[in-house]
Amino acid sequence: MDFRVATSKRLSGDGGPLGGSIVADTGSRLSLYETAPNVEVSLEEFEQFALDRLRVLKGIEEVRARRKRLEELDTVVIDLWRKHMRTPNAADLNKKDVVSHFVLRLAYCRTEELRRWFLAMESALFRHRFRCESSDSQRKLMDDYKLPFKAISVAEFEVLKDKLGQVCRSLNQPLPTADSAYYKVPFEEVPDLVANRKILLGGGHAFVPREQLALLVVGQFRTRLSKALVLTNRKWTSVCAEDEKDRLAPIVESLSTRYLGADYTQPDSKRDISSKDLDNLAKTSFPLCMHHLFKKLREDHHLRHGGRQQLGLFLKGIGLKLEDALAFWKNEFSHKIGPDKFDKEYAYNVRHNYGKEGKKTDYTPYSCVRIIMSTPGVGDHHGCPYRHFSEENLRATLGTLRLSTPAVAEVLEKVRSHHYQLACATAFEAIHGSPSEGINHPNQYFDQSQKLLQSVKSSEVSAAN
Ligand code: SF4
């Protein structure tokens, strides 16, 4: 979207971060988001639309981890879309779609890692939406964007029918009928299909059945979006971030680390956790990031600021009361620096996190995204092990959790594809022997783990009775 600094609370699109012409893309429900929309958007809409789309993309990330069949994923993705992207007036849906895409493009263009995630999730969203469109609307999209894929006419089909049948027979597929839709595509667009001889070639074209079309169109979508993200980043960092530093930049910059689930600010009042319970809980229910910090604290009797914050807020979120937290940190730090120094230099910070000092803000435990995006330095122990450990170090650490060799291999595979939360969910499943609901927050990991352990305990008790 082309956002210009507006004098009022409404923003209009004529000259801004993304450049280009400004024609609202409303001709087709599905868009390749080539041009920014010429619409006015309030600051509230700017943020809310983006958050709603983010919920869809995060949902896609979660369901993709469960390796569902393509058809099942279609249904889930369309449900997510309907749930989060609906608007009071159906006519506003296109506006919300395009605006939210362009706002997130700004938020996710800023680093290679963010670009990679956004590209993967947007391409998946596009793919499922495209697959669920009617042939007419698929055709319209291809015409609108002049994609080099043309449906063949009935006359062309009659001419090619026998040869298409031969290809189908060689692939053990049903023979084509007059209702089968085929598309004529420049053969250089489908090198894999050509190399595997899975396609009829003729006159410089490949004849691709409709079922394969989504892959080709998604390829176009991905290439265009990938280039656009790089350009947007250049423009945002060189001009717009400074121009918009007081208004849009804070929203844009916070979106990529925004966690959309429960925030765990209030300690869990139903749980009565004291510092005596922590060793056991660390073994059974801490995610690796907190397990590692806890272990380092026990070994070194010290953690640097980033580690104290990450672990301290997590402990608050699981239900450790302020008095217990003070006793716990003091006990550890006193080994090294003595109790007086702790009272003078560190106790304030613990009380501060519980909203008892300074601005009296009740600080929120960090989400996975925030932890993954952190940049621990030498001597720091905070961060996400799946993101920040070397492969060797991670393999060794997973070994101490008694993960089986295939489970470790699966975790490492996810890490190599930069799916850190999925790697964490895989470790959770291997440790607990039960599927995870997806991991977005260390405190959510803890809650899921405790719930499972409690239900195992209850069933053991009822079996014993
Ligand atoms: Fe912690 Fe989240 Fe990383 Fe798991 S994915 S280790 S919960 S930051």
Side-chain angles (χ1 to χ4, degrees):
M1 188 181 319
D2 286 344
F3 291 112
R4 175 165 58 82
V5 178
T7 48
S8 72
K9 261 198 142 191
R10 299 194 72 79
L11 310 172
S12 87
D14 57 350
L18 294 159
S21 64
I22 39 172
V23 180
D25 189 353
T26 52
S28 159
R29 282 177 56 220
L30 204 49
S31 171
L32 293 194
Y33 309 104
E34 293 246 281
T35 48
N38 183 14
V39 288
E40 287 207 340
V41 185
S42 68
L43 273 177
E44 292 73 25
E45 284 173 326
F46 182 92
E47 187 169 13
Q48 194 52 52
F49 287 178
L51 286 172
D52 286 345
R53 191 181 195 93
L54 205 46
R55 289 188 171 92
V56 177
L57 300 185
K58 300 257 180 197
I60 291 176
E61 185 181 31
E62 271 173 32
V63 291
R64 274 173 26 130
R66 300 197 197 126
R67 296 175 192 260
K68 288 181 184 286
R69 287 189 308 117
L70 198 56
E71 292 73 19
E72 287 176 277
L73 282 175
D74 285 342
T75 316
V76 178
V77 171
I78 295 307
D79 285 350
L80 280 167
W81 182 260
R82 291 203 181 114
K83 179 172 169 202
H84 297 297
M85 294 299 285
R86 64 170 178 255
T87 50
N89 299 318
D92 290 336
L93 184 59
N94 269 349
K95 173 181 164 186
K96 181 168 179 177
D97 176 14
V98 182
V99 168
S100 62
H101 171 88
F102 277 101
V103 177
L104 288 186
R105 201 186 266 196
L106 288 178
Y108 280 81
C109 71
R110 294 169 304 118
T111 67
E112 200 182 325
E113 194 162 351
L114 291 176
R115 288 195 289 275
R116 198 184 303 119
W117 184 86
F118 184 65
L119 192 56
M121 296 312 136
E122 279 286 332
S123 300
L125 171 61
F126 180 86
R127 181 181 185 190
H128 294 293
R129 288 182 68 198
F130 183 83
R131 281 170 50 83
C132 296
E133 291 287 329
S134 67
S135 316
D136 281 351
S137 108
Q138 290 181 341
R139 221 171 281 142
K140 178 158 172 33
L141 177 96
M142 291 186 287
D143 289 345
D144 286 350
Y145 288 95
K146 302 195 172 30
L147 301 188
F149 316 136
K150 291 267 169 288
I152 65 172
S153 64
V154 177
E156 275 176 301
F157 176 78
E158 284 306 321
V159 172
L160 295 168
K161 193 165 76 179
D162 291 344
K163 288 182 179 166
L164 290 170
Q166 280 170 17
V167 175
C168 291
R169 261 192 294 275
S170 73
L171 297 171
N172 277 334
Q173 286 170 352
L175 293 179
T177 66
D179 296 330
S180 316
Y182 275 84
Y183 289 80
K184 209 156 75 172
V185 173
F187 74 88
E188 61 274 14
E189 293 279 336
V190 285
D192 290 349
L193 294 176
V194 173
N196 296 331
R197 297 169 188 275
K198 285 186 173 171
I199 213 86
L200 176 65
L201 296 172
H205 289 103
F207 295 89
V208 180
R210 182 177 173 220
E211 304 77 65
Q212 311 255 21
L213 190 64
L215 276 181
L216 302 182
V217 181
V218 173
Q220 292 274 337
F221 176 86
R222 174 180 271 278
T223 308
R224 290 165 194 230
L225 180 55
S226 174
K227 283 187 196 144
L229 281 167
V230 174
L231 291 176
T232 307
N233 180 38
R234 247 180 250 155
K235 195 154 186 184
W236 176 255
T237 41
S238 62
V239 187
C240 308
E242 181 57 27
D243 288 354
E244 290 289 351
K245 73 176 184 324
D246 296 326
R247 191 181 59 154
L248 299 188
I251 301 176
V252 164
E253 282 159 17
S254 72
L255 277 169
S256 58
T257 52
R258 201 77 74 87
Y259 166 67
L260 305 168
D263 75 0
Y264 303 96
T265 303
Q266 295 303 322
D268 189 333
S269 53
K270 284 183 247 101
R271 256 193 224 116
D272 191 15
I273 285 179
S274 88
S275 52
K276 293 195 295 303
D277 306 317
L278 292 179
D279 282 298
N280 194 31
L281 289 171
K283 263 187 229 135
T284 58
S285 296
F286 280 18
L288 200 50
C289 52
M290 301 303 169
H291 188 272
H292 176 65
L293 280 170
F294 190 79
K295 182 167 153 277
K296 282 291 163 195
L297 176 64
R298 286 286 199 223
E299 281 169 12
D300 301 345
H301 307 297
H302 188 267
L303 280 179
R304 292 169 74 174
H305 180 73
R308 294 199 301 276
Q309 288 299 100
Q310 185 175 310
L311 179 62
L313 291 170
F314 167 79
L315 294 177
K316 180 179 98 160
I318 67 172
L320 191 70
K321 309 278 179 311
L322 174 60
E323 297 66 38
D324 282 308
L326 279 167
F328 166 70
W329 288 102
K330 185 169 182 172
N331 186 35
E332 280 307 320
F333 273 53
S334 295
H335 288 280
K336 215 165 193 173
I337 57 167
D340 291 346
K341 191 163 180 200
F342 176 86
D343 288 340
K344 263 192 230 128
E345 292 182 17
Y346 295 95
Y348 176 90
N349 187 244
V350 177
R351 288 196 299 274
H352 193 262
N353 280 347
Y354 280 75
K356 301 294 176 209
E357 300 283 1
K359 282 194 272 169
K360 306 224 185 299
T361 308
D362 212 355
Y363 287 91
T364 308
Y366 295 170
S367 68
C368 290
V369 176
R370 178 157 183 188
I371 295 172
I372 288 168
M373 300 296 289
S374 64
T375 47
V378 179
D380 284 330
H381 297 296
H382 64 278
C384 170
Y386 300 104
R387 166 72 180 83
H388 296 113
F389 278 17
S390 67
E391 183 165 324
E392 219 173 291
N393 193 2
L394 181 59
R395 188 190 292 277
T397 309
L398 291 169
T400 65
L401 301 181
R402 293 200 292 273
L403 254 63
S404 67
T405 310
V408 171
E410 203 184 327
V411 170
L412 293 177
E413 189 194 311
K414 302 247 162 58
V415 169
R416 281 185 214 115
S417 356
H418 309 277
H419 293 315
Y420 310 115
Q421 287 163 250
L422 300 185
C424 187
T426 304
F428 179 100
E429 291 174 8
I431 291 165
H432 294 81
S434 179
S436 123
E437 298 157 14
I439 304 297
N440 291 309
H441 199 294
N443 290 79
Q444 175 215 6
Y445 181 110
F446 180 85
D447 283 354
Q448 276 186 48
S449 168
Q450 283 290 292
K451 222 186 278 167
L452 273 174
L453 296 175
Q454 291 303 335
S455 77
V456 171
K457 226 187 256 171
S458 318
S459 33
E460 281 171 2
V461 170
S462 38
N465 293 333

